[in-house]
Structure formats: C-alpha cells, structure tokens
Amino acid sequence: MRSASTDKEAQGGTGHTLDVEALRADFPILHQRVHGKPLVYFDNAATTQKPQAVIDTLVKYYREQNANIHRGVHYLSELATYEYEKTRGKIKLFLNAADTREIIFVRGTTEGINLVKDSFGRKFIGAGDEIVISAMEHHSNIVPWQLLCEEKGCILRVVPINDRGELDVEAYEALVNEKTKLVSMVYISNSLGTINPIKRIIAFAHARGVPVLVDGAQATSHLTVDVRNLDCDFFVMSGHKVFGPTGIGVLYGKMHLLESMPPYQAGGDMIRSVTFEKTTFNELPYKFEAGTPNVADVIALGTALDYVQKVGLSAIGDHENNLLRYATKKIGSLEGVRLIGTAAEKASVLSFVLDTVHAHDVGTILDQEGVAIRTGHHCTQPVMARFGVPATARASFAFYNTIAEIDVLTEGIKKVQEVFQA
Amino acid sequence: MSSVNELYQQLILDHNKNPRNCRHMDHPTKIAEGYNPLCGDHFTVFLEMDGDTIKDVSFQGAGCAISKASASMMTTAVKGVKKAEAEDLFQKFHTLVTRGMKSAVEDDIEELGCLGALAGVSEFPARIKCASLAWHALHGALASEDSKVVTTEE
Ligand SMILES: Cc1ncc(COP(=O)(O)O)c(C=O)c1O
C-alpha cells in the first residue's frame, strides 16, 4: 500500500474525505441492475466509468460546437479550435509539463508508445542497442519494442520481478549499460497493482544518459503525476482510464526530444507547406497530429481531468487505500484464495486465484451476482507465466467504489466456492 | 434452477474434477491443439485412427471448468465412432451450445446424450468458445494429415 507520508507530500495532502454517495450520483451507469442485482463495477483498471459532466461535454460539442479545427475562419471552427487547444493547456497543467507544445494527442497509451517506437526508436535505436523494459509490462509496452528489435536488430532486456510482484531494482541497475538507448517502464502495473519506484528508475537511467518512457495508463486515476518532478522523457496515458472517453490519449515528450524526432504519420495539419518537390513540417505539437483529430473526445477528456482534480487525487488515494486494505484483508483471508501481487507500494488492484476454480468460472459466477471483474491474463501474459497461473481474477477499484461493494464481492467468491464445492 | 446451477451441473463439475481420457498418447495417428488466445485455454487432442474409425482419443491441457469438462465429455462421446459421425456430432453439439436445448430436436438430444449437460452454456455467450474449444481441435485433427494448432478466433 502507498505510504501515507510520500503520498501526502506528493499530493499536498488536503486530507478531506470523500462523500462517495454524492460522487456516485455523478455516474449514471452505476445505478443499474445486472442479472437482477445492483451493479458492482470492479473493472476500473480495464476502463473507468464516465461522470455526467463528461457525457454532457460530448453532447454539447456535437450539438453546439462541432467543426473542423485549425482550418476555418468561421465561428464554429474558431470555437472548436479554441476548446481543443484550451484542453491542451489543461493537460499541460494536469501533468505539470513545461510547455503545451509537449502535449501530443494520440488515441491512447498504445498509440503513444507506438509513436515513440516509430519516430524516436527508428531514428535513434540501431543494431546492438538495448531497450530495457520490465517483466510486468502490458503487451502494448512489449510488442512495439519487439517489432523494433526485429526491424533494427536491437535487443530487448527485461528486468525481473520478485514473488510479491515488485521490480528487482538491483537487477534493473545492473541491466542498464552503455548500450542502453531507452528505458520503457510501467508506472503502475495493471495486473498486479505494483507502483514502481519510477523516479529512482528515471534518475538512474539519466545518470547514464538514457531517456525513459513511462507507461502511465494506470497512474493518472490514482495519483498526482508531475512529469517535471519525475523528470521522465516521455509519458503516455489513456483518457478512458481516467474517467474520460475512449479513443483519446496523450503523449507527453520533452521538447528537445520531440523536436529531434521525425513525424509519425503524414497528412493534413502536420505540414507547413507542401509542393511536389518539398514539404516542410509544422511545428510542435502539430508535427505529430496528422489529419483531423478526435476533437470531441479531447475536449471531453479535459472535462474528465477537471472532474478528477475537483474530487482531489489526494482524497481519491486515501479512499482507494482504504478499499484496498479492506479487500486485501477480506479476500486474502478466504481459504483457497491466493493473492497475486502483494507489493508494499500498491494501487487499488486486487488480483487473485482460487486453488481449484479457474478465473473464468469465477468471473461468470460473479457476473451473475452483478459483480463485474476482469478475468484472464490482462494483456500481461509474462506476468501470468512468472506466477505460474494461466489467468487471474482481478478486482480494481475506483473512488466511486465502496466497502459494501467489497462485501458483495467477498460473498460472491464464497458462492463460487459453494458451486464448486471447493 | 438458477442459470449458474444450470451451467455448472453436477455432471460438468464431475468431469472437471475427474476428466476422462486426460492423458498423453505416445503414438497418435493425428494430433491437434486448440487454443483460445482470449483466455489462454489450451488443449491438445490425440487420436488413434483405425481407418475411418476413432479407435482411441485423449486430451491434455489447461482451461476453465467448461472447457475441460467439455473436452472430457467429448472424448467419451467420440471414442469408437466413425469420423463422419464425430463431425455430425460436433455440428449438433455446436447448435446445442449456441442455441440451447430448446433448439434441438428429440433425436439429436438422444444422440448427444451426456453432452446435453452443456446446453446451459447457451445462456452465457462469452463461454461458448470454452465449450467448443476441444471440439474445434478434434475437427482440426480429423481434417488434417499433419498436426496443427486450431484457435477459436475464426
Ligand atoms: C499498464 C497499461 N499499459 C497500457 C495499456 C494500453 O492502454 P490502451 O488500450 O488504452 O491503449 C493499458 C490498458 O489496458 C495498461 O493498463
């Protein structure tokens, strides 16, 4: 669990507690029955639900603001462009970036990583060079690098994790060497909940002149991210994991790196001038935003971030810590249940397996109780292999979840054991 | 009976706990793997053919209760039958798990025998692939000369 002290420091510690019932009222989807039971939504690591404000923003955009941006002199185009660029400013503040030009809109974490691979990777990583990742990466932070290795002849190095699901920091420090051209590491593991000591990881790499990409997909909904304090070189996130829409995400990159990188895709908006002889590219951030972007979802992502900041990431962290502590105790003490991922520093993700029941059967029976969890490998097959399980059941909590819902989950697991006479 | 109890009937739980013909075959005539990339369920089906007849059948692998019980029940259903009969049974079984007991005609229900216990799967669309995984592997093994991997992602 996160230590309260570092958390408070990082968050500025307002210490106020959440009025969870009031907040739940902001999320229309939560108030429904599934198979006749009240929905208990515990699949927040896969995607989070959207507050009414975000839904309203999308509706308002299409009803009142829709136009193509950066290319019209008419009223609506100027309005849409204004809203779009205003959101870039919000994201700059949310991540504490130095400059709005360092904020690139992409489809999500996956596209952000692929952009860095295609643009930075292809230009700066060559045969014999090494890329360091960890054994707890999501497939989206493994496969792009494997493709680059195939193409360029570079080598992927993987930092192992221990039995609690924590990064082996000593092994990491031994792996980084003069051949290392990039460290690409997850901040919070989606299948284990582990919070990596990312600042230390970055500092170590920087001391050897190696840039670091942080996969922040799971981080933004649980803790305050400050890219300048972390000093990361790239940071990627997905809007849908932080109460925003699907199909929109952010790549943050340090200005000097983005400037040194070639365009990722080519088309409209990313050019300054085109002739058949020569095309000059637009300046940052447009160099990396070819074509008509996802304007509506960008603006709605801004609303989501406003919402999260109003609730307060410090209070969110405290509440989620309580949920995690309670769930760990309740579910961890059930006979025949094994927790997968018991790191000292953990976000509100609880992965578990039952001795005699496969995760899918657990998921099906819990679903009949109205409880939505994720079962499977969570796009982290190497993590499953590391723990010797084919799949886990994963309950992941957001600030709108309650202790009472964890009781429903606990009873549901007992029901699974009953059905299987386990 | 609730749909959960309908799905996890005693017979299915029994086949899951004590799968029949769950063993490696040293010299199979045909062999195929069934793999569901979505959940990682993975089975190998071994066949010993005598002409057109499945003389012996076995399986090995790991998966959920539904996929394992289905594999086990399949082996008991196709042992000793002709290739064409096994294929026909697969079609009937597939109809059963996708459309449920109501869709099956009486003759089919009789022919399916204990496989009918898996009819409850039709209420759980996400689990139909689990129930049919071993059958896809069997189909792949019967159809091919060489061993191959069959996935349920078609
Ligand atoms: C840690 C981590 N990285 C990357 C991703 C990929 O995010 P997206 O599918 O939104 O691109 C996810 C989402 O599942 C994740 O949890």
Side-chain angles (χ1 to χ4, degrees), chain B residues 118 133 148:
Chain B
L118 282 158
L133 181 59
K148 60 190 264 184

PDB file of all heavy atoms in Angstrom, chain B residues 118 133 148:
ATOM      1  N   LEU B 118     -24.247 -29.660 -21.349  1.00  0.00           N
ATOM      2  CA  LEU B 118     -23.598 -28.381 -21.643  1.00  0.00           C
ATOM      3  C   LEU B 118     -24.543 -27.361 -22.294  1.00  0.00           C
ATOM      4  O   LEU B 118     -24.131 -26.268 -22.660  1.00  0.00           O
ATOM      5  CB  LEU B 118     -22.372 -28.604 -22.529  1.00  0.00           C
ATOM      6  CG  LEU B 118     -21.151 -29.127 -21.749  1.00  0.00           C
ATOM      7  CD1 LEU B 118     -20.170 -29.833 -22.674  1.00  0.00           C
ATOM      8  CD2 LEU B 118     -20.452 -27.985 -21.021  1.00  0.00           C
ATOM      9  N   LEU B 133     -14.022 -25.458 -27.650  1.00  0.00           N
ATOM     10  CA  LEU B 133     -12.582 -25.452 -27.948  1.00  0.00           C
ATOM     11  C   LEU B 133     -12.042 -26.840 -28.306  1.00  0.00           C
ATOM     12  O   LEU B 133     -11.401 -27.026 -29.348  1.00  0.00           O
ATOM     13  CB  LEU B 133     -11.815 -24.864 -26.744  1.00  0.00           C
ATOM     14  CG  LEU B 133     -10.299 -24.766 -26.885  1.00  0.00           C
ATOM     15  CD1 LEU B 133      -9.920 -23.898 -28.075  1.00  0.00           C
ATOM     16  CD2 LEU B 133      -9.682 -24.179 -25.613  1.00  0.00           C
ATOM     17  N   LYS B 148      -1.692 -29.750 -36.031  1.00  0.00           N
ATOM     18  CA  LYS B 148      -1.816 -28.308 -36.214  1.00  0.00           C
ATOM     19  C   LYS B 148      -2.422 -27.645 -34.988  1.00  0.00           C
ATOM     20  O   LYS B 148      -2.989 -28.309 -34.130  1.00  0.00           O
ATOM     21  CB  LYS B 148      -2.668 -28.005 -37.445  1.00  0.00           C
ATOM     22  CG  LYS B 148      -4.096 -28.565 -37.356  1.00  0.00           C
ATOM     23  CD  LYS B 148      -4.811 -28.444 -38.677  1.00  0.00           C
ATOM     24  CE  LYS B 148      -5.659 -27.220 -38.750  1.00  0.00           C
ATOM     25  NZ  LYS B 148      -6.439 -27.100 -39.966  1.00  0.00           N
TER      26      LYS B 148
END
